[in-house]
Amino acid sequence: MSEADCLFCRIVAGEIPAEIVYETDRTLAFRDVNPQAPTHVLVIPRDHYRDAAALAAADHGLADEVIKAAHAVAQREGVAEAGYRLVFNTGPEAGQTVFHVHGHVIGGRSLRWPPG
Ligand code: 5GP
Ligand code: ZN
């Protein structure tokens, strides 16, 4: 399942370069091109779902895999113990700009709450 004009589907296909830090059969994790913290990695399912709600609704365990992959990334990046943020911006008002579901793994510095 992919969309020809989707940026992250094109990264999965290897058509656009990305710094991949972790991968499984069904997930891929790569560094955000515009990092907001020392660790800023995007974790995606290889298949195309527009947002976290669509991924969860598909109900085949892939949402679980994405979250497990996010934690594996945090461990590899050395931020799991200190703490990290896992963010799924969902919809335009939340700031989602790429409509292929992705979890932001953000860490390596003290993060404020609430977000802007
Ligand atoms: P959103 O705003 O949809 O939650 O997050 C999209 C993220 O994708 C942004 O943090 C943005 O910096 C990142 N991004 C956009 N284009 C690219 C790209 O071509 N490569 C990578 N690695 N990240 C990208
Ligand atoms: Zn896609």
Side-chain angles (χ1 to χ4, degrees), residues 73-85:
V73 166
Q75 287 178 314
R76 286 179 175 220
E77 294 284 310
V79 300
E81 214 161 296
Y84 61 94
R85 196 164 287 169

Side-chain angles (χ1 to χ4, degrees), residues 2 11-12 18 22 31 33 35 38 45 47 52 56 64 66 76 79-80 85 99 107 112 114:
S2 71
I11 287 177
V12 170
Y22 184 76
R31 294 199 191 284
V33 77
D47 284 350
D64 308 33
V66 168
R76 286 179 175 220
V79 300
R85 196 164 287 169
F99 287 85
R112 289 184 299 277

